[in-house]
Each structure stands twice: as structure tokens, then as C-alpha cells.
Amino acid sequence: MRMDERKADELRPISIEINYLHHPEGSVLISIGNTKVICTASLEDRVPPFLRGQGKGWITAEYSMLPRATEQRNMRESTRGKVSGRTMEIQRLIGRALRSIIDLDKIGERTVWIDCDVIQADGGTRTTSITGAFVALSLAMEKALANGAIQEWPIDDFLAAVSVGIDPKLGAILDLCYAEDAQAEVDMNVVMTGKGEYVELQGTGEEATFSHNQLLTILALADKGIKQLIEEQRNALGAIANRVDEAKQKKKEQSEA
Amino acid sequence: MRMDERKADELRPISIEINYLHHPEGSVLISIGNTKVICTASLEDRVPPFLRGQGKGWITAEYSMLPRATEQRNMRESTRGKVSGRTMEIQRLIGRALRSIIDLDKIGERTVWIDCDVIQADGGTRTTSITGAFVALSLAMEKALANGAIQEWPIDDFLAAVSVGIDPKLGAILDLCYAEDAQAEVDMNVVMTGKGEYVELQGTGEEATFSHNQLLTILALADKGIKQLIEEQRNALGAIANRVDEAKQKKKEQSEA
Amino acid sequence: MRMDERKADELRPISIEINYLHHPEGSVLISIGNTKVICTASLEDRVPPFLRGQGKGWITAEYSMLPRATEQRNMRESTRGKVSGRTMEIQRLIGRALRSIIDLDKIGERTVWIDCDVIQADGGTRTTSITGAFVALSLAMEKALANGAIQEWPIDDFLAAVSVGIDPKLGAILDLCYAEDAQAEVDMNVVMTGKGEYVELQGTGEEATFSHNQLLTILALADKGIKQLIEEQRNALGAIANRVDEAKQKKKEQSEA
Amino acid sequence: MRMDERKADELRPISIEINYLHHPEGSVLISIGNTKVICTASLEDRVPPFLRGQGKGWITAEYSMLPRATEQRNMRESTRGKVSGRTMEIQRLIGRALRSIIDLDKIGERTVWIDCDVIQADGGTRTTSITGAFVALSLAMEKALANGAIQEWPIDDFLAAVSVGIDPKLGAILDLCYAEDAQAEVDMNVVMTGKGEYVELQGTGEEATFSHNQLLTILALADKGIKQLIEEQRNALGAIANRVDEAKQKKKEQSEA
Amino acid sequence: MRMDERKADELRPISIEINYLHHPEGSVLISIGNTKVICTASLEDRVPPFLRGQGKGWITAEYSMLPRATEQRNMRESTRGKVSGRTMEIQRLIGRALRSIIDLDKIGERTVWIDCDVIQADGGTRTTSITGAFVALSLAMEKALANGAIQEWPIDDFLAAVSVGIDPKLGAILDLCYAEDAQAEVDMNVVMTGKGEYVELQGTGEEATFSHNQLLTILALADKGIKQLIEEQRNALGAIANRVDEAKQKKKEQSEA
Amino acid sequence: MRMDERKADELRPISIEINYLHHPEGSVLISIGNTKVICTASLEDRVPPFLRGQGKGWITAEYSMLPRATEQRNMRESTRGKVSGRTMEIQRLIGRALRSIIDLDKIGERTVWIDCDVIQADGGTRTTSITGAFVALSLAMEKALANGAIQEWPIDDFLAAVSVGIDPKLGAILDLCYAEDAQAEVDMNVVMTGKGEYVELQGTGEEATFSHNQLLTILALADKGIKQLIEEQRNALGAIANRVDEAKQKKKEQSEA
């Protein structure tokens, strides 16, 4: 039995509060269990130098934790004067993941800045960030469409992320809280689309290894978790979710044609 | 008439949600108008080098804004690799202010880390931070007293802060929102105690000056605002507020004796 | 009796040596008691990005101490790799103060760099810096007028700064030396114009508070000190002082008209 | 047909020159195709703070490229003043991977510093680094055993890494050179042990996704490549390879017992 | 007798492997004794700001050591976040030295980046870097001439560098290895041209001094060593060496005319 | 004829004002022509880690320029966040030079911090710094001897530095001002002792070279200049100069014995 009495394939309670902040084009407060992240999407009317003049946009992400999001207070990265390797890894992951389900040609020469600020951490902060950031990005795109900044809906599939781990006693378990994560031998983060394809797989055995069969079990759990997370995103987005479905359908037809 | 129809001596709506986060010893989400700040107080069992071995504690504060707390996205100070002068000024102010109403001998060789993270900014972020941080500090002290970390209640007066400005048309106005602040000729931040004494006065005329009479008007408005803010702190703290009153009374008796 | 036998409202001896250095457009060596600061004003033919194309100028200040300006040697901020919060606070203050008595439209798209380098410190380094910087700025403006870089005299009032403190035994005292400052319960820095208006008030009670009456006493002392400092600036500037008086008179007439 | 005429499941030519440098405890120059990396293993007689006093060791890795390892010269990270996110990600990966096949209790309170310096880059620099670092680590352990620094052989399995990608035309291909990597839709780095278990899986679809079936194909190619790489490590290590086999056998027996 | 049985005026064995790397326009692996340096020359089609629009080029150099080039592992300068004073001194020296034998007008508005990466250190890394960098630069110029990037051969003399020291027992000795360098009282680095003129003399007596006569002896040894090093450069460059000779001859004729 | 009408072997006017500042153990304001440097010597009761427990001391130097010491204002290195290569080179030189004429065993486990702050620059700032620092160091040692911090006089020779250059028209000239330095083809800095021995020779031909005969002429000029500078140091130090002479004599006798 898991420490919080969940079943092996059970997610923690999820809530997604949209339009949480006043200023950003898109914003949510997402909670998965005790992990809470403010995700915002901000539009800037220019792109990084390597993209200038190509008529296409970019998505870049930043991730941070409040110093006391965690059990022990962490020194701020601004005070330390540099961003940690862990933070860089996470923000690169979030950016890459979101770029996989959007047609960057359709947003013009704009950068979408995704900011994921963890205000409370209890495991799965990077996967929660991706899941929340997808919703914030969708809200920002809806706003951009409404005010004419963009002409065509650019997001062509849902995107969510979840962690799966292997507990030395319980075997594979879905959506680890911090205490479970600390015990797990293997930790896998899976980012998937609504169509059920992988965007990112990051599995690591810290001082441990895992077999092909264990991998297959992990992936099956991830698949189940992602489906449920996308259901929650759909509920939070309401009518905007239809835009994603339509774009997905259109893309499918085009690729079949 | 002010842009949001307030009277010159009227504060914006205030809310203080205590125990907002799970991990910190004390935490609040404070809103004054559209300005929202998460204030936390964290205890660490050691003091900075200059205080070691003296048996007394220290309070230090850090302040930050989410990148999209503001109308335009700001680059993170962690990304920039250094903390701005404005941030340093504010965090030094918050720490000094809180140290004025606490008996540091009573908290032993401990540091209280105050973190003020602005999640939405609409003027008055530094004064809101101080007002909220006082409550978070009180909650942390109550917890420390309850679990025996400290033996005696250390906070001997209330503390709150407010801004007052001089508008070119309206004259002196209390508690400026961002748009008012941008127009004001003079900007004064006042930190006061429950007893009505000043802890900090920071008045500045950017490309302007102010007379002695204007100063007296400003101070009268500040006095009124502070009293109301302390009333809100009192409501938020409930029974803990009594501890402050008792310590204040005791200190008064001692200084009269 | 004060430790150096001054009266409560007595400034330390003042000297202002103008044109102290060869290269800068304006420079002074100012001494107030044992505090000695080299203040220079340098003109640069461009403005910061936020002002470009507006036809107006800017004043920015930097402040530093020689490592052995103080009793104990301080590590250089260049060696440390970053500027301290205290330094940033001071240089922001100096810049703001000087911008209040100059018409930035009259200097064109130019930046005046004010550098205040403390070569010997004995209390009041920030107020001495402001008082000296005013003179250096005036010298630089005179030179700019002489060589045709600017067309009209831009400084329309005198500006000086002084510290006042509250000593636990002596009460309010003017112009604190370092040893007095270390004992003071309240420390107030006041920046005022020749007209007797405030530009900046920064009063702080480190682990202490002060009453409204104490504030009024402090301000009266400051007023007296500032008048005397401006007299010294006037002597140092000689004929250039007349330009300030004329511009002040003209501004007064305009605002009355 | 691949651009260098390899088959889809064919590695590039491999060479491993052991004891390439004079000073390090272990060193190799490994070449896979045109990618060349100097890998060294250095022993230090202390561990990071979080491990002190536990009697066990640590492995940490650093990775860098010569500025002109690449087609275009890259600015040095020392000149830039900070290490990039990509570099941090890679060095964290190398360290984690190596820690999975060593019993850190057997090396005592020592840190093994792994340095991977890419002198020529043509794709696969991180996987080549891991494959070479394993050999350098083994050489350093042999030396430590010989001179009595450690008492028991600590490495209990082989470890190698390889990249697999999905080319838009050719499908899944093994061991991508730089030009192939630039075209690939999916890029997977796989770190595996001699026993055939996964240590790390990092698969990413930059602006693309991949299906479960594609994943299975990728993993099969990786498995084949890893086996061959381990064969090369075995040849390079000569008699030292036996130590690994014996430790692996012993560990297997223990886990079966 | 010297520790490696060399005579006082004897260089260590020298090898220069040209075109050592694939990507750079010019590259060598130079070994002098156990000191090994990879020197590369890279062309960039722009110059630093202070040279723009003048139609002439620039040479700039960077120097680094692999962490384990030395007996003890050194922390990377990228990890440390800044380049040491020693490194800066050396890279400034290398750049200045190379600029003395090239006609920068002949390379157009281009920067040649010289990178000297020490992979194994045993004394004389800066002089070895200069000696190797000259060859890499020549190779890059040959390539630039061949592909039409430049029109005229720009290098008009050979350039090499050597160290000479004064050993407390043996007196003046040429080309110190690390152990000799550690004992030497005086350390002189001499950079000379093929014509026998000095480009740089850097002599230092760490906690010691040296007389005029000792200086003359040192310079005589340096002269002998440089001649032999240039012979090695000549051999490594083959036909390209003729270009240098011709340009030298032409320059001589011009200065005599 | 030189631009300021000096003869080729003539120094600029020199003044050395001792005890220029209040706090440091030793301080001077040295002027050579228009170059003015404040040199201070500060004692700290500990040594760098590499010297701990050996009972001997250390001398370390820092060098800086006021931003407006020069014709054009330079950005502060503290603002830039790092010390330039030029500054590092100079401060390493000053420290090395001073360590050559002092017996570090005689100052105990102490560091002497030498600070050279250029307040006005007109060529020769590094040589002026060394010449002034020698006097500041001597004053600090006298004070340390007087208050019993050290038992025996540690400085056993005079030390001064001068620049010599080769002007394209005038040939070798002594003590270059900035305008001469900008034109010179060769720039040599020479640090010598009272005994006439070299401590440092740094000669550089930026985009030029120099012959053995030119070197001999340069050294003869340096010798003459140094003698005169030491005469000035002797005058400034008064009776303290005798201590140096006695220690020099004693050292000579010991080395002859």
C-alpha cells in the first residue's frame, strides 16, 4: 500500500485554476496533490537572434521555486548568482515539450515566455509544470487569436506529463509524491500528447538499473496517467479545448492526404 | 477624485490569508488591492558570522517578483545573475523594519528568513511585504513557542507600512496603486509601530521636492493608514495578537519602571 | 558633550577644493571632518536606452570607497565581483537627489556620470558625497556652457545633504562622525534644496523607533546644517553660484506667473 | 543509405587509447568516428559535504568542449563566466551513469572526478564521453587497488552509451554523426550495463513525437550498439576487464542468495 | 647536471603534428618534453568594435588547461565562473606576440582566434603555446590564401618562445621543466623573431633578484633555444615556411629602400 | 625634443606625501608628473591558506583606477563584475616586486595588503604604484616595529620601478607620459633594487620588435631613473631609510660570510 493509500496507478487530486493572475496573457494555478505551480504564458513581439527574419515564433521556459516551497529553505538562485544545473535541465525540458505540439509558423515572430514558479513542492514539480504550462499557453493563444495578434489556432494536440517510479517494495507506481520519489530506485518522467505519442522520455536509475520489462510496465502506467491529466486540462479549458481537437483533426487529415 | 474612486485617505481592500503554504513555519498570502504577496517566515538554527556566540538571533529578508507579476514581463534576477539595486534596497528595508519590534535575544541563535514573493504587482509591493511579513513572523514565533524552540514571546509591538504620495492634481493621497505612483511627484514609504512611532521614513521627490507642510500632511495620512492595517493584522492573527499586546504592555511597564 | 566637543547643532569643519583632478569636466575634493570624498562629474554624449530620442539628458551616480578608507580594510567590490546593497542604495540616492535640481531638458541627450570615491571615511559619506557632487556637477555645467555643449544653465537650486541622529544620551545631534553614528538609535539623512524643501528623507531606527516630536527636532537640525553647507558650496563655486541663483529666481517667477 | 554508407544498425569505427595522459590516475583518448574525447579519472581524498562521515565515496563529472571542437568556434564557458544548461545536463548525466555500476562504499571517503574534454565533435559527444569515462574510471580503480588506496574492486558491471535517432527518410538509425543528428526527428540517448539493463533513457522529439513501436525499434538498435561498445571497452582494458566480470558474477550470486 | 640529464643549453625533445584537428583552419599538437598543447587558429569574419571600418584585422588568443593537465587536478575556470589572473596574463601575451610578426592590414576585417589548450603540463606551457600557435596561424593563413579569403601572405617572420631560468646550483638553464621551474630563482620568458629580435621579455625574480651579467647569460641561452625552435617550425611547415622567408626578405628590402 | 621638453633620460617631477591617510598603517600620495596614486599598506593578522602554519607572512597587492582618472571615463570593474586582465597583471606584478625585498619570515603570519588607487593617470601608473607602495610598506613596517607587532626590520633593500620606451623618432626615452606611451614602439617596465639588480623586466613590442642593442640602451636609462627614484624615496622616508640601509648591509655581510 502506498503511503497516502493510493493505488499504484492512481494520480493525486488535481485542480487547475485558470486566469489566476491579472497581467499575463495566460495563467493558471495548478495543484497536483500538494505540489502547486503558478504557470504563466507571456507574449513578446520578438524572437531570439537565431530565428530573426524567418517569420516564425519561439517558446522558451523558465522554472523556479520559491525558497520555502520545500521542507528546508533553499537559497534563491538570484542570491547565489547563478541558475543550477537542475533548473536549467527542467526549463529546457518544458520549452522543448511545448514546442512539440505547436505550429511555430502560426504565431509569427513572437516569443512565448512560459514561467513556472513552484510555490509548494511535493514531488513531480517538472511534470506538473508542463501540464499546467500547456493550459497557460492555450489561454494565451486564445487571447492572441481574439485580439488579432495571430490569425490561426496554432496548437494541434494536448500535452501533459507525469512521473512514474519503481519502488523497491511496491514496484512501479504512478505520480510520485516527494517521499515516494526519495525512496524510488528508478524515476521516469514521461511527456505525451493527446494522440498517445511520446514527446520526452527521461528515465534514470540513480545507483540502480531497470530492465526492459520494467520499462514496459512504467510506460503503461504513464499512458494511463497522461490520459487522465489531459481530461483535466480539457475541463479547465472548456470551449478552448475544441480548438485543439479541431487542429488535431485537421493535421491528421493533412498527414493522411 | 482618484482613478479608482477612493478618497484621499482611503486604503484599498485588504485580505490576509494565514498559513497559506504547507512547509514554512509562518506564511500568508496578503492582498492590498491588486497587489498580492506571499510572505513566509522560516527558522534556521544558526546566525550570520558577526553574531555567533552572542546568544541572540537575527532576521533577514529577501524580496522578489515573479517575472510576470507586472504589466510587462521582467527578466528574472537569477537569469540576469545578479540582484538589482531596487531589490537590495527593499530587502534591507524589510529586514531592518522587522528587527525593530522583536527582542532578538529571545529567539536564541537563530535566523528568521523572511521571504516576500510578489505574485502580482500593482503599487506598494514593499509596504505590502512588510505588513504581510509581520503576520508571517508572528505565526512562526507562535509555532516556535508551541514546540519549545523559544521560551518567551519576542514580538513587542505591531508593525505595518504604507505608501503616501503627492499627486500633482489631488495633493496627498494614501496607498498608491501603480498608476497613481507613476504620476506622483513625491513618494513616501512609512513604517510604523502599533504605538504610533516611526521605524522608517523614506520620502523621495524624483525630479521634485516637497515642503515641510506637505510632509506633515503626508505623515498624518500614513498614521491613519497604518492604524487600519494593524487592525487587519490583528484580525488575521486572532488570539496570537494578544501575545503582542501583552509584550507591548510589559515593555511599557519596564521602561516606565 | 559630544565626543569631539561639538555642540548638538554644530557641523564638523568643511573644506571643498575645486578642480581637484585634471581630466574630469568637474571635480572636487570635499572634506567634512575626517571624511574625504573625491567627487567628479563626467559628460557622455548619450543617454540610457529608456531616454533615447527624447532630447533630454540623465544623471547617474556611482559611489565607492577605497579599501582602506575605513578603520578595517574592506574587500574591493571589484574583487568580490558584485556591488553591495549598501553601495547600490547610496548611488541610487545620489543620482535621484541631483536630478531634482536640474532641468534635464537643458543638457540635451547627454549623461552626466557622477563618481563619488571615498578616500577616507568617518561617518556621513553619503551626505558628503551629495554635497560635493553638487559642486562637481556645477563645475561641469559651467564648462559645458563655456564650450557650447549646452546653451542654457540647467541647475535651478542648490542641493546639500546632512545626517542627523538621536544619541541615547545626548538626544538629537547634527552631522554624526562614525563613532557617534555607531551609537545612534536613529539615523536620518536629509537632502534639501536652497529653497528649504526636502528632496529625500531617509530615517531609520535600527532596532529602535522614534516619535513625531523627535522627528520635528531632527528636521530642525537638518535645516540649520543644510543652510551652512550651501554657504560653503557658494564660497567654493564663486561666480558660478550666481548662475544657480539666477536660474532659481527665474524658475520662481515662471511658477508664479 | 546513410550519408557515410553505414547500415542502420552499424556503429562508426571505434578506438580507445588507454593511459593517454601522464598525470591522471586513469585516462583515455576515445574516438568514435570523428568524435574524439579525452576522458580522465582523478582521485581526491575527500567527498562533498552531504556525504562527509559516512565512509562512502562519490563520483562527479565535468564535460567541456575545446572552442574549436566544432565546425564553428564556440565561446569558452570560462570566458562567458558560466556553464551552459546543455553542459550541466551532460555532466549530471555522466556522473549519474557511472555511479550506477560502482559500489561507492568500496572507494572510501574519496571523490572520483571524471573529466570529459571533447577535442573534436561529430555527434554523440555525451555518449562517447560515458563510454570512454567508464574505461578511465576502471583504470583509476586498478591503480587505486594496486597502491592500496582501496581494498576491494568496486565496479560490478560494464557501462556504455549510444545514441539512436529517427531519420525522416531512413527510420531508426544507430550512432548518429552530427549531420544525421541535425536531421533527426527524434534523438534518444541510451545508457546500458553489460547485463543489458537501462541506466538512463533520454529520448526527445524536438518539434516531433514518436510512437510506442518506434520506441521499441530504437531500443533494439541501442541494445545492439551497446553490446559492441562494451566489447571494445573489454579489449581496451585487457586483464582489468576480468575484475569487472568477477565483481558482476559475485554480485549476481549475492542477489540470488 | 640537470635532473633529466640535459645540458644547460639543451632543449627538451620537440614534436609538432600539423593539421591535428578536423575543423579549425589551422591546428597543431605540439609537444616539448612532456608539455603538450593543442593550438588552433580559427578565422572569424569580423573584428572587435575598436577596429571596425578600418579594413584591418586582429589576432586574439585564449589559453586554458585541462583540469588534469597537472599533477593535482585544477578546478575548471568555467566552473569557478572566472578566468584567473595567470590565464589572462598568458593569453594577452600570446596575442601580442603573434601580432608582432603579421601585417594585420593583409588579413582584412577578420579576427584570428588562437586557442591554446594545454592537455599535459610540465613547465613552459606559455612558451610552448606561442611556438605552436605560430605554426597553427601559418597553416590558417595558407588555407585563407588558398581559398581566396586573403590575397597576400601576411606573416613576415618566424616567431618562437622559450623559458630560461637561474637555478640556485646550476646557474642559467634553458627550457625548464616543471620541477626545475619550481626551484628556479629567476624565470625569464623570451619571445623572439627569426631575425633575432625581441618581441617580449618577461623576467621575474620571485623573492630574488638578478644582475645585469646574469641577464646577458640568460639572453644568450634564449637566443640559442629560439633558433632551434624555429628550425622545428620550419620542418613542420614544409613549403609554407618559404612564404615566411619571402615576406621577410621583401620587408627587409622595403625597409632598406 | 620630447613633447614636455624633457631630455631623453629625464624623469618627470616627483612628489611623495607620506601618511596621506588616517587609517592605514602606511600610506602615501605619490605624484610622478600628472600621474597620482594613493598607495596604502594594511596589516592583516592571517595569511592565505597555502602559507598557514609556516610562521611566515605574505604581501598581496590590489590596483585600481578611479573611473575618471583617465581622459575618457572607464567603467568601474565593480560595476562590470570582474577585474580586467590588465588589472590582474599589474597587481600580480606589484605583489611579486615587493616580495623580493622583504624577508617574509620576519613579519610572522601576517598579510600586508598593498592598495594602489590611481586617482589621476598620465602614463606609468604601474611603475608609480610600485615606487609609492615601497614607501607605504616601509611606513607600515616602521609602525609594526614600533608597536611590537614585529621584532626585526624586514626590508633589506630599496625598490623602485620606471618605464622606458622607444619612440619611433627620438629613440629610447625614460619615464613616458601617456602621450609618449601611445606612440612608443616598445614599452619596457623595469623594477630594480637599490643594489642595482633586476626584480622584474617586462618589455613588449606591440606590433614591433627590438634588438639586443636597443635593449642595452633601455636598461641603461632605467638604471639612471631608478637611482633617482630611490633618492626620492629616501628623502620621503627620512630616518626610516636608515633601517633599510642597515638591513641591506647586514644581508650583504651574511651572504659574504
Side-chain angles (χ1 to χ4, degrees), chain A residues 170-235:
Chain A
L170 305 172
I173 51 179
L174 180 66
D175 183 25
L176 285 66
C177 70
Y178 180 75
E180 289 176 332
D181 186 71
Q183 284 180 19
E185 286 177 340
V186 176
D187 185 23
M188 174 82 74
N189 291 298
V190 182
V191 187
M192 291 180 80
T193 62
K195 203 169 57 181
E197 298 221 319
Y198 302 112
V199 173
E200 285 271 344
L201 274 187
Q202 293 195 339
T204 184
E206 174 82 37
E207 305 179 24
T209 60
F210 54 106
S211 67
H212 193 73
N213 280 341
Q214 283 176 312
L215 174 62
L216 296 180
T217 309
I218 285 168
L219 294 176
L221 284 182
D223 193 72
K224 178 164 190 286
I226 295 282
K227 284 197 167 64
Q228 187 178 340
L229 288 163
I230 288 176
E231 210 49 44
E232 298 286 344
Q233 291 175 328
R234 195 178 281 279
N235 293 340

Side-chain angles (χ1 to χ4, degrees), chain A residues 1-8 10 180:
Chain A
M1 182 61 97
R2 293 171 74 172
M3 43 184 84
D4 55 4
E5 315 209 340
R6 278 187 288 154
K7 280 174 286 180
E10 191 180 345
E180 289 176 332

Side-chain angles (χ1 to χ4, degrees), chain E residues 1 3 32 47 56-58 66 108 117 120 144 146 154-155 159 162 166 169 171 185 187 194 196 198 218 234 248 251:
Chain E
M1 182 63 95
M3 41 183 86
I32 297 191
V47 288
K56 64 182 285 197
W58 190 243
L66 293 205
D117 286 87
Q120 192 165 276
I155 300 174
L159 180 90
V162 77
I166 295 186
K169 293 194 185 134
E185 285 176 340
D187 185 24
Y198 303 113
I218 285 168
R234 196 178 280 281
K248 187 177 166 186
K251 194 184 178 191

Side-chain angles (χ1 to χ4, degrees), chain E residues 84-86 88-89 92 96 99 193 197-206 209-212 215 219, chain F residues 84-86 88-89 92 96 99 193 197-206 209-212 215 219:
Chain E
S84 74
R86 178 184 174 276
M88 286 206 195
E89 219 171 282
R92 284 159 54 92
R96 271 200 317 270
R99 288 193 298 270
T193 61
E197 299 220 317
Y198 303 113
V199 173
E200 286 271 343
L201 273 187
Q202 294 195 339
T204 185
E206 174 82 38
T209 61
F210 54 106
S211 68
H212 192 72
L215 174 61
L219 295 176
Chain F
S84 73
R86 178 184 173 275
M88 286 204 195
E89 218 171 283
R92 284 159 53 93
R96 271 200 317 270
R99 288 193 299 271
T193 62
E197 299 221 317
Y198 302 112
V199 173
E200 287 271 344
L201 274 187
Q202 294 195 339
T204 184
E206 174 84 38
T209 60
F210 53 107
S211 69
H212 193 72
L215 174 62
L219 294 176

